[in-house]
Amino acid sequence: MYITLIVLFLSAIFFMSGKVRSDLVALCALVLLIIFGILTPEEALTGFSNSVVIMMIGLFVVGGAIFQTGLAKMISSRILKLAGDSELKLFILIVLVTAFIGAFVSNTGTVALMLPIVVSMAMGTQINVSRLLMPLAFASSMGGMMTLIGTPPNLVIQEALTSAGYAPLTFFSFTPVGLVCVAVGLVILIPLSKIFLTKKGDKDRKGKKNKSLKELAGEYQLFQNLCRVRVESRSPLTGKTIQELSIPQRYNVGIMEVRRQSSSSRRHFFKTMSQEMAAADTIIQENDILYVLGDFTNVEHFAEENTLKLLDTHATEGTVEAKSEELEFTEIGIAEIVLMPASNLVNKPVKDSGFREKYGVNILGIQRKRQYILKNLKDEKMHSGDVLLVQGTWENIARLSEDPSDWVVLGQPLAEAAKVTLNHKAPVAAIIMLGMVVMMMFDFIPVAPVTAVMIAGLLMVLTGCFRNVEAAYKTINWESIVLIAAMMPMSLALEKTGASNLVSQSLVNGLGSYGPYILLAGIYFTTSLMTMFISNTATAVLLAPIALQSAIQIGVSPVPFLFAVTVGASMCFASPFSTPPNALVMPAGQYTFMDYVKVGLPLQIIMGIVMIFVLPLIFPF
C-alpha cells in the first residue's frame, strides 16, 4: 500500500511541476506498479482496452470532423450575430453557445473552435477580448457537464457505477447538473470578469480594431534596429547571391529586403524603387539599397568591410525622401503569427525554422510573455505561445494561414473566423452527429454508447468529412488518451492494496458521522483541490472508487457522490493548468496565473457550495 501511495504522490508532484509530459509521468507510474508486483502486466494494460478510452478516441474524431466541416463554426457564428453591439448580450451568448457546443464536443475542441470567432466578434464590437476568453474556457467545461460525452470525468463515473453493478446513467442524466453549472457560472462571471479582466490591455486596445502596420513596426522597434546601406561600385558583394555571402553567420545581421531602381514610376511608395524580398538566390547589384536588421555596431562593421554606404533614416531612395514616419507597405508587408503548442517549430532555433526557404518570409522579432526579443534571433529557440513578427510579400504572408496546426496568423481574425473548410460536408457531419446522439440517448436502441461513437467516427472518415485518414488521426489528442489509459489501473492498485478503502474509511470516520451532506462536501472539495494540481480526468479516475465506497459504507446512494467527483473535477477554474481549455486561452488573453486565481477561485468555491445542496435534490441519497 505504501509503495502505491508513494508512486501516486510522486506522480502528483510531476503532474504539478509540468516539467515532464503528463502521459510520460502516467506511463512511468504504471511501469513502477508492474515492477513492484502490485499489478500484473495484464491488469496494467486494461486501461488501454477500456471502453472509456476507446470512446474518447472516437469523440476526438467526431469533434474533429465537426470542426473540419465548419459545422459548429457556422452555427455559432450565426448565433453570435444576434448580440449586435451589446457587450452584455455578447458575453451571455458566448457563454451559452460555448456551453451548448461543449455538451457534444470535447471542451478543448470547443475552445479551439470558438477562439477565432470570439476574437473576431470582440474586434468588431471593440470589446476587450481578455474579458471574453477566460469565460469562454470556463463555459466549455460547464457545458461538458450537460451530457454523458461532454467531458471525460462523466464517462469515468459511468464506468465506476456500472462496474459496481448499478444501473448506468442515461445520456441526459447530467443535463440538470450542467444547467445549474451554466446558470451559476453566468451569474458569477459577469461581475468578476467586469472587475478583474476588463482593465487588462484596455489602454492599448480601446477603440482599435487592429494594430496598424506603423504601430506594429514601432512595437517591435523596427525603425530603431533596421538600417539601410547602399552597395557601392567596388563592393565585394556585387554579383553574389545572399546565400553565398553567409552574412548572418559572419556579421550577426540579416538582410531583410533589397530595393533597386525600377523603370516603373506608378508606385506611390518610393516611386522609382522596387521592393524585393531578400531570398537566398537574390543577386546583389551595384546601387542596391539593402535593409539590414541587427545591432547598429554589427551593421557598421558589415558596411565597413564590404564597401557599403550607411544611409540615415532620412536619406533618399531614388527621387523620394524616405522618412520613417511616412512608411507605407506595398509589395512587402509584416504580420504577427502565434505558435501553437503542437507546432513542429517549438524548441527549434530561428535559423532552422525554414520560414525563408518554405514560405519566403523572414522572422524579424519574437514577443514572449510581453518581452520583445529582437537581437541575435538566429540562435533563439522558439516556444509555444510565442508571437513572431514576420516579413514577406502579402501573398506569402497569406500562405501562412494554410498551416493552422502550427501557427495562427494574427491581424485577420474576421477572415479567419469566416473561413470554413469542406463546408459542403457540413450537412453530412450534422446527420452523423445527430445519429450518434440519438443512439446514445434512447435505451430502446440496442447500441452501446462506445459502439455509437465508433460508428460515428468511422462514418465521418468514410463520407469524406476529413480530407484523408491522416487528418482524422491528427485530431486525436494522444497525450490525453495515454494519460487516461495509464492512470486507470492506478485505481485498481489503490483497491488491491487497500489504499482506496483506507482513504474512504478515513473520510467516513472523519466526516460520515456528521451526515451525508458533510461527507459529500469532503469528497467534492477533495476532488476540486486535487484537480488544481493534476488533470481532471486523472483525479476522477482516482477518486471515483473512493466516493463509491464511502457512500456504500454509510448506506446511501453513490450517485450524488460520484456526481460530486465529476463536477469537482470539471469545475476547476483557479489554475491555468488544471484543464486544457484554461491553458489554451492563456496566451491569447495575455492572462497571468493570478488572473485565474482572482476570477476562477471565487467561482470554483461558490460552484462547490451550490452543488453540495443541489446534487442531493437531483439525485436523492
Side-chain angles (χ1 to χ4, degrees):
M1 180 174 72
Y2 293 108
I3 293 174
T4 304
L5 292 175
I6 290 170
V7 171
L8 177 60
F9 178 71
L10 290 174
S11 300
I13 289 175
F14 279 104
F15 281 136
M16 288 162 55
S17 71
K19 292 182 179 179
V20 182
R21 279 174 56 122
S22 56
D23 53 344
L24 289 178
V25 174
L27 285 172
C28 289
L30 191 64
V31 170
L32 285 173
L33 292 176
I34 298 173
I35 291 172
F36 286 107
I38 296 166
L39 294 176
T40 65
E42 291 76 18
E43 289 172 332
L45 296 174
T46 53
F48 290 90
S49 61
N50 192 283
S51 61
V52 172
V53 174
I54 304 301
M55 188 181 293
M56 283 188 64
I57 293 173
L59 288 173
F60 273 121
V61 174
V62 172
I66 293 169
F67 179 74
Q68 291 289 326
T69 58
L71 174 63
K73 188 181 289 186
M74 289 163 60
I75 297 169
S76 56
S77 295
R78 290 176 184 174
I79 295 174
L80 288 172
K81 286 179 182 178
L82 299 172
D85 295 328
S86 170
E87 183 174 346
L88 179 61
K89 195 184 294 185
L90 177 63
F91 186 94
I92 293 171
L93 277 172
I94 285 173
V95 170
L96 294 179
V97 171
T98 304
F100 176 77
I101 297 174
F104 303 98
V105 181
S106 75
N107 52 11
T108 306
T110 301
V111 172
L113 163 71
M114 291 292 291
L115 190 60
I117 300 172
V118 172
V119 170
S120 67
M121 293 297 291
M123 292 287 189
T125 53
Q126 300 182 25
I127 295 172
N128 186 355
V129 73
S130 65
R131 191 194 171 192
L132 302 174
L133 291 183
M134 192 183 292
L136 167 72
F138 295 170
S140 70
S141 297
M142 292 185 288
M145 285 306 307
M146 289 205 276
T147 63
L148 175 65
I149 65 171
T151 184
N154 291 359
L155 299 171
V156 170
I157 69 162
Q158 167 82 316
E159 175 71 13
L161 268 177
T162 53
S163 298
Y166 289 87
L169 300 165
T170 65
F171 188 82
F172 288 113
S173 293
F174 297 81
T175 305
V177 179
L179 291 174
V180 173
C181 289
V182 173
V184 173
L186 258 181
V187 171
I188 304 301
L189 281 174
I190 289 172
L192 286 180
S193 63
K194 187 79 172 176
I195 296 168
F196 294 113
L197 299 180
T198 47
K199 293 180 182 178
K200 183 174 295 296
D202 271 356
K203 291 181 181 178
D204 296 329
R205 302 180 188 188
K206 190 175 181 180
K208 297 179 184 178
K209 294 185 179 181
N210 208 342
K211 295 175 185 175
S212 69
L213 294 173
K214 181 180 175 183
E215 289 168 337
L216 204 54
E219 187 178 315
Y220 285 84
Q221 302 174 29
L222 290 191
F223 299 135
Q224 292 93 319
N225 294 290
L226 193 65
C227 298
R228 297 178 300 144
V229 296
R230 185 165 57 217
V231 181
E232 301 292 283
S233 58
R234 302 180 310 280
S235 174
L237 304 186
T238 306
K240 294 183 178 178
T241 66
I242 289 177
Q243 187 175 27
E244 289 178 63
L245 297 168
S246 302
I247 292 168
Q249 290 75 21
R250 292 172 59 192
Y251 302 100
N252 203 21
V253 298
I255 299 178
M256 300 293 106
E257 185 178 319
V258 179
R259 300 199 183 184
R260 56 176 55 127
Q261 290 289 122
S262 172
S263 58
S264 172
S265 61
R266 292 176 295 173
R267 301 287 183 188
H268 174 67
F269 179 48
F270 304 145
K271 290 179 181 177
T272 60
M273 303 297 292
S274 66
Q275 290 180 292
E276 183 180 330
M277 279 295 300
D281 58 353
T282 299
I283 299 174
I284 296 177
Q285 301 175 10
E286 184 182 338
N287 291 323
D288 279 354
I289 293 175
L290 312 179
Y291 275 63
V292 185
L293 191 68
D295 188 80
F296 183 73
T297 306
N298 294 337
V299 175
E300 227 175 5
H301 177 55
F302 168 58
E304 286 173 6
E305 282 204 357
N306 294 282
T307 320
L308 306 172
K309 183 176 181 181
L310 189 62
L311 307 176
D312 61 47
T313 56
H314 295 282
T316 300
E317 293 181 10
T319 61
V320 181
E321 192 179 27
K323 295 185 179 179
S324 61
E325 63 267 25
E326 295 175 357
L327 288 180
E328 296 177 16
F329 296 87
T330 52
E331 293 94 344
I332 297 172
I334 55 176
E336 287 180 309
I337 65 173
V338 180
L339 286 189
M340 301 301 284
S343 174
N344 294 324
L345 298 176
V346 173
N347 292 325
K348 275 189 180 180
V350 168
K351 64 184 178 185
D352 297 333
S353 65
F355 265 89
R356 181 178 283 189
E357 294 79 6
K358 187 175 180 182
Y359 294 98
V361 300
N362 298 310
I363 299 175
L364 304 186
I366 299 175
Q367 182 192 149
R368 180 180 300 152
K369 296 179 180 177
R370 303 182 188 176
Q371 300 294 320
Y372 292 88
I373 302 168
L374 306 169
K375 296 181 180 178
N376 301 319
L377 274 179
K378 64 183 178 67
D379 297 316
E380 184 67 36
K381 287 188 176 181
M382 295 172 284
H383 298 173
S384 170
D386 277 358
V387 180
L388 310 181
L389 181 71
V390 296
Q391 176 212 35
T393 64
W394 291 116
E395 183 181 356
N396 286 340
I397 288 175
R399 283 176 57 218
L400 294 175
S401 300
E402 296 172 6
D403 283 324
S405 60
D406 283 325
W407 52 71
V408 173
V409 179
L410 300 181
Q412 302 175 31
L414 291 171
E416 290 294 311
K419 198 184 299 177
V420 175
T421 57
L422 301 176
N423 58 350
H424 61 288
K425 293 290 184 178
V428 177
I431 292 169
I432 294 171
M433 187 185 76
L434 185 62
M436 179 190 75
V437 172
V438 168
M439 283 190 286
M440 299 178 76
M441 279 173 55
F442 299 109
D443 295 334
F444 63 83
I445 300 177
V447 177
V450 65
T451 308
V453 173
M454 289 175 65
I455 292 170
L458 193 58
L459 286 175
M460 290 291 190
V461 176
L462 294 176
T463 56
C465 293
F466 292 98
R467 286 192 171 88
N468 48 51
V469 179
E470 287 74 19
Y473 278 114
K474 284 182 180 179
T475 64
I476 301 170
N477 187 329
W478 291 108
E479 183 178 351
S480 298
I481 297 299
V482 173
L483 167 66
I484 294 163
M487 285 302 293
M488 275 188 164
M490 179 67 78
S491 61
L492 178 60
L494 290 171
E495 288 180 27
K496 281 184 70 175
T497 58
S500 177
N501 189 58
L502 177 65
V503 175
S504 60
Q505 192 68 48
S506 300
L507 278 170
V508 170
N509 292 340
L511 302 174
S513 59
Y514 297 100
Y517 278 96
I518 300 300
L519 181 59
L520 185 70
I523 289 172
Y524 185 99
F525 285 108
T526 299
T527 307
S528 186
L529 181 65
M530 284 185 65
T531 309
M532 291 178 66
F533 306 109
I534 64 176
S535 82
N536 59 349
T537 307
T539 303
V541 169
L542 293 174
L543 285 177
I546 292 173
L548 184 75
Q549 290 299 320
S550 299
I552 291 171
Q553 286 186 40
I554 64 169
V556 295
S557 169
V559 176
F561 291 86
L562 285 170
F563 265 87
V565 170
T566 188
V567 178
S570 301
M571 301 297 104
C572 192
F573 310 121
S575 163
F577 312 116
S578 55
T579 63
N582 290 3
L584 198 59
V585 300
M586 191 177 185
Q590 295 188 343
Y591 299 123
T592 63
F593 188 93
M594 284 307 298
D595 289 327
Y596 288 88
V597 174
K598 290 175 184 175
V599 178
L601 186 58
L603 175 60
Q604 190 168 324
I605 293 171
I606 293 169
M607 188 76 76
I609 294 169
V610 171
M611 282 297 151
I612 289 164
F613 294 100
V614 167
L615 287 175
L617 295 177
I618 301 173
F619 308 103
F621 292 126

